[in-house]
């Protein structure tokens, strides 16, 4: 069977099964998640055994240790996965919410109501926990899931999907709402991305290369997640006691993730005080520095190693302990720099001046602006969403951390008593 | 200059100019629209003269009379265009609305606020009024506009854009927020659709072929507008007094538009009473009929001409006085038919039974469900939006009629007092 035929068949099964979700109550969807959580816990041994096969292959193929760690499941991690499903079940039902409502002069009653998308494809990389995390978020938001994980996690993903499907057999919800897309052949990804009309939405999660490929090749609507060249701007009127911890936290707390900062911009008026301590603190934390000419002079004066930042540096999402440092003349100049090099993800300003913060917000064009706090807070769990399917880095539909609500669309229900247009 | 370079330059100018919108108040944007409306009225003669050149070319090239009518501007139509701008100015400002707000246990204050997209491209066909309609909606929602109209309306579009830009020169808003994309060369459309990162969103308006091309070729996010194979389902418990006018209105009121109905489905229990009068009324209204075997028998009995509907018939958006008619066993069977042949636009049910209506709504997967009213009400103006940039026929972002609100995205503003992640 061709990859297109495989996807068409899975999508068709998923579409039909999705009706058991769109007609299920919130309580029924919640209890299905609890059944899934229990099954994952009780079949932990099977899951670990399957994962061990993937790990053996990974070791044989000398997979990078960091990637091996992502692939690895442990009893503890499996408990965490089950706990995640329970956490989603505890959230407010995102379906059937009336978003807008009005009665027109002709008596027609309008309601805009949240409804599921239908069939959503996920394309992701090594981590097998995404298989369950994504499935439960999609199920709770009424969507059938087409899961295309990595072939390196094949055995782990297969058992996890089987466990979830078996669990659903005891509920009113069809097990066919969760479909694992075969990962042996790369062609299934391409087929998923072009299954227009059969799949309603595709969300990629993984490396920048994966996301770019999905966005470029997809004719199905996508939500781009990922890339973050985030900035921390220390304003003229910053409180230095706040500025330094925010900077260090933004850069070093978890440098590999998209909401970590890559560039520090400092207002020239505060630079003489702030830059020496900032450069020293970053350097002490093991951060490799790339500076503009002004910051370079400060670094030299204090014997801190730093190379001159190139255009490539300013544009790079390092993902490691490496940072660019520049000095700017004003809030507007900081915004100009960010407009040129940023990726519209998260930008932070540290200032005690409300007008400066307002100007920075108005000139920023990003998913989240942080005022006197760390860029690391652009995160569904930190922001109280309870669950996150990813962080949208596009403007269409959902922007920023996406929880259950972002996995719904709307429909208009127009109720009349025979009105016609004249 | 290559088409890519032209678009890059226009988009860059637009992006910079858009800052004069994102920092303008709602009152400033509203008064800019009033200035535009006045300029359109006072320079009516120039606009008519330019349009006459387009009309001469159209006549020379023997353009279809219906297309010529779309291209034509009259003093009356120009007044209507200016009036449309004033109508948009009278609407509530869609920017700066707080959509969600909360304070986290760690003291961080979260606000999700509506903000503009930035730079939006419109790709459309002959009608020059779209040039102004789109520009004013985008301006009011804080977005710069890249307008790619048809080359057949070139002179009309040029003068309309010049009039709007000249008008903006007297305001705080940069005239560069409105950019006309040269239409002599088809390559500019392709360049617009692939200006990823430079253009935030592209909206096509026009024929199904244009929309399909935009959706297929674009790497910039798009909102698909258009195609509607809409159904009217007459339930077992329909009030026939309502059903007949709703059917006739849905099909014949304006058959060329996307919210016109193409297929009538009738519950078998009501078919003996309803079908004869429905077929006769449709036939009397000049509607060509395509029926399933059951409806065919009724048509024959009453000497009403009808061919057997093929799969192609059931899938066709006629856009003219032509309709499919079928008999179904249940609400679920109607929903199955609609799932197979519909385009997720607008579906109507006529019933006095609330359970049947609820079931139909739950099984429908469309932008709007009409209960006891005409499909023709899926329309921004009819629904009280005051203005409409198009009807979204996709699930991502906005679904159904799109007014000012649909032309905004959101940003999260997170305000702290030095919080960092631990």
């Amino acid at each position: 069977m061709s990859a297109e035929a495989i996807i068409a068949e899975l999508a068709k099964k998923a579409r039909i099964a999705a009706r058991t979700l769109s007609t299920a109550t919130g309580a029924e969807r919640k209890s299905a998640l609890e059944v899934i959580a229990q099954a994952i816990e009780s079949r932990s041994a099977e899951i670990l055994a399957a994962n061990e096969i993937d790990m053996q292959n990974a070791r044989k193929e000398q997979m990078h240790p960091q990637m091996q760690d992502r692939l690895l499941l442990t009893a503890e991690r499996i408990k965490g996965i089950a706990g995640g499903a329970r956490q989603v079940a505890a959230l407010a039902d995102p379906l059937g919410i009336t978003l807008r409502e009005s009665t027109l002069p002709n008596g027609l009653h309008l309601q805009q109501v949240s409804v599921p998308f239908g069939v959503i494809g996920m394309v992701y990389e090594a981590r097998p926990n995404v298989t369950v995390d994504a499935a439960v978020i999609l199920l709770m938001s009424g969507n059938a899931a087409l899961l295309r994980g990595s072939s390196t996690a094949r055995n782990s993903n297969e058992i996890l999907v089987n466990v979830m499907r078996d669990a659903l057999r005891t509920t009113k919800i069809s097990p066919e709402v969760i479909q694992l897309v075969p990962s042996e052949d790369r062609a299934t990804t391409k087929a998923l991305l072009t299954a227009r009309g059969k799949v309603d939405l595709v969300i990629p999660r993984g490396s920048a290369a994966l996301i770019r490929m999905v966005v470029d090749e997809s004719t199905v609507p996508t939500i781009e997640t990922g890339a973050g060249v985030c900035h921390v701007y220390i304003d003229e009127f910053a409180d230095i006691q706040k500025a330094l911890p925010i900077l260090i936290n933004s850069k070093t707390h978890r440098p590999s993730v998209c909401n970590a900062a890559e560039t520090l911009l400092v207002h020239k008026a505060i630079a003489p005080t702030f830059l020496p301590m900032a450069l020293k603190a970053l350097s002490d934390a093991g951060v490799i520095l790339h500076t503009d000419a002004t910051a370079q002079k400060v670094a030299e004066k204090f014997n801190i190693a730093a190379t001159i930042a190139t255009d490539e540096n300013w544009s790079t999402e390092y993902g490691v302990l490496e940072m660019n440092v520049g000095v700017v003349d004003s809030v507007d100049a900081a915004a100009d720099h960010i407009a040129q090099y940023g990726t519209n993800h998260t930008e932070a300003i540290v200032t005690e001046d409300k007008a400066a913060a307002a100007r920075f917000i108005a000139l920023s064009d990003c998913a989240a602006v942080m005022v006197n706090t760390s860029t690391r807070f652009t995160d569904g769990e930190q922001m109280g969403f309870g669950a996150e399917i990813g962080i949208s880095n596009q403007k269409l539909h959902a922007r920023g951390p996406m929880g259950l609500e972002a996995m719904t669309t709307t429909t208009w229900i127009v109720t009349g008593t025979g009105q016609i247009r004249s």
Side-chain angles (χ1 to χ4, degrees), chain A:
Chain A
M1 200 156 44
S2 72
E4 286 71 26
I6 291 171
I7 295 295
E9 197 181 303
L10 296 181
K12 193 176 175 184
K13 281 185 195 165
R15 171 88 52 202
I16 293 166
R19 286 195 172 183
T20 64
L21 281 173
S22 66
T23 54
T25 64
E28 285 165 346
R29 278 175 277 119
K30 284 175 182 216
S31 87
L33 294 202
E34 174 56 34
V35 171
I36 283 175
Q38 284 171 14
I40 287 170
E41 284 173 342
S42 69
R43 293 176 65 180
S44 183
E46 281 173 75
I47 297 168
L48 287 174
N51 182 248
E52 179 52 27
I53 301 172
D54 287 332
M55 290 302 296
Q56 280 170 6
N57 291 333
R59 285 188 288 263
K60 209 180 297 168
E61 284 159 28
Q62 299 185 300
M63 186 189 274
H64 191 286
Q66 205 178 325
M67 293 294 284
Q68 283 197 33
D69 182 61
R70 289 183 178 196
L71 182 57
L72 180 70
L73 289 178
T74 62
E76 200 55 40
R77 286 184 180 183
I78 290 173
K79 260 192 191 163
I81 292 171
R86 289 200 175 96
Q87 224 173 319
V88 173
L91 297 172
D93 185 2
L95 298 179
I97 310 284
T98 298
L99 303 166
R100 287 194 276 182
E101 191 165 19
S102 63
T103 302
L104 301 179
N106 62 4
L108 284 180
H109 181 69
L110 262 58
Q111 272 179 290
Q112 189 184 31
V113 176
S114 62
V115 294
F117 271 90
V119 178
I120 297 185
M122 291 285 305
V123 179
Y124 53 101
E125 288 173 340
R127 296 194 301 165
N129 64 304
V130 176
T131 302
V132 180
D133 292 354
V136 299
I137 288 181
L138 295 182
L139 197 152
M140 190 60 211
S141 52
N143 297 291
L146 258 57
L147 304 170
R148 174 55 166 90
S150 163
S151 62
T152 57
R154 183 173 48 196
N155 294 287
S156 313
N157 289 340
E158 267 173 18
I159 184 72
L160 287 168
V161 165
N162 284 340
V163 167
M164 290 191 285
R165 287 170 58 115
D166 288 348
L168 287 178
R169 278 178 236 285
T170 67
T171 73
K172 272 180 62 180
I173 292 161
S174 166
E176 304 286 343
V177 296
I178 304 175
Q179 301 286 346
L180 187 65
V181 175
S183 58
E184 294 79 8
D185 184 354
R186 278 174 177 274
T188 55
T189 304
K190 173 83 179 164
L192 178 61
L193 297 179
T194 52
R196 202 174 161 78
K198 300 184 179 78
V199 174
D200 294 300
L201 176 64
V202 171
I203 303 174
R205 269 186 71 171
S207 68
L210 173 83
I211 292 162
R212 179 79 214 186
M213 183 276 288
V214 167
V215 167
D216 281 351
E217 302 211 350
S218 189
T219 57
V220 171
T222 56
I223 296 182
E224 188 179 350
T225 59
V229 176
C230 305
H231 299 74
V232 175
Y233 165 61
I234 310 299
D235 186 51
E236 182 176 5
F237 302 108
D239 174 349
I240 286 177
Q241 301 305 316
K242 292 175 190 159
L244 204 60
I246 288 171
L247 167 65
I248 299 301
N249 191 255
S250 296
K251 178 67 240 180
T252 69
H253 182 253
R254 201 169 158 204
S256 65
V257 293
C258 59
N259 58 20
E262 312 298 347
T263 294
L264 164 67
L265 299 172
V266 181
H267 191 284
K268 65 174 178 185
I270 206 171
T273 336
F274 184 71
L275 257 190
M277 63 178 82
L279 294 177
K280 184 164 187 319
L282 288 167
S283 178
D284 287 352
V287 178
I288 297 166
L289 298 168
H290 308 282
T291 53
D292 69 1
T294 313
Q296 182 76 22
K297 277 182 205 149
V298 178
E300 276 168 15
K301 195 172 151 191
F302 291 90
N303 272 322
I304 296 164
T307 66
I308 285 288
T310 61
D311 247 36
E312 206 193 319
N313 285 125
W314 297 116
S315 315
T316 299
E317 183 177 12
Y318 294 116
V320 295
L321 290 176
E322 204 164 344
M323 191 171 217
N324 312 307
V325 182
V327 176
V328 292
D329 286 352
S330 62
V331 173
D332 281 51
D336 285 343
H337 178 102
I338 292 168
Q340 189 174 353
Y341 297 107
T343 56
N344 314 90
H345 191 296
T346 300
E347 314 301 351
I349 180 172
V350 181
T351 188
E352 299 298 307
D353 177 13
K354 285 196 174 163
R359 181 84 189 159
F360 186 81
I361 291 167
L363 294 177
S364 286
D365 176 22
C366 55
V369 186
M370 299 289 156
V371 181
N372 293 327
T373 189
S374 168
T375 57
R376 291 278 294 120
F377 283 107
T378 304
D379 178 283
E381 215 161 325
Q382 291 293 320
M383 287 166 78
F385 293 9
E388 178 186 285
I389 200 146
I391 298 179
S392 165
N393 208 24
Q394 69 180 38
K395 297 176 183 177
L396 205 67
H397 188 66
R399 201 177 187 201
M402 297 185 288
L404 290 178
E405 193 192 30
M407 293 300 99
T408 67
T409 179
T410 61
T411 194
W412 286 98
I413 302 171
V414 183
T415 309
T417 50
Q419 286 88 340
I420 60 171
R421 265 185 82 170
S422 51

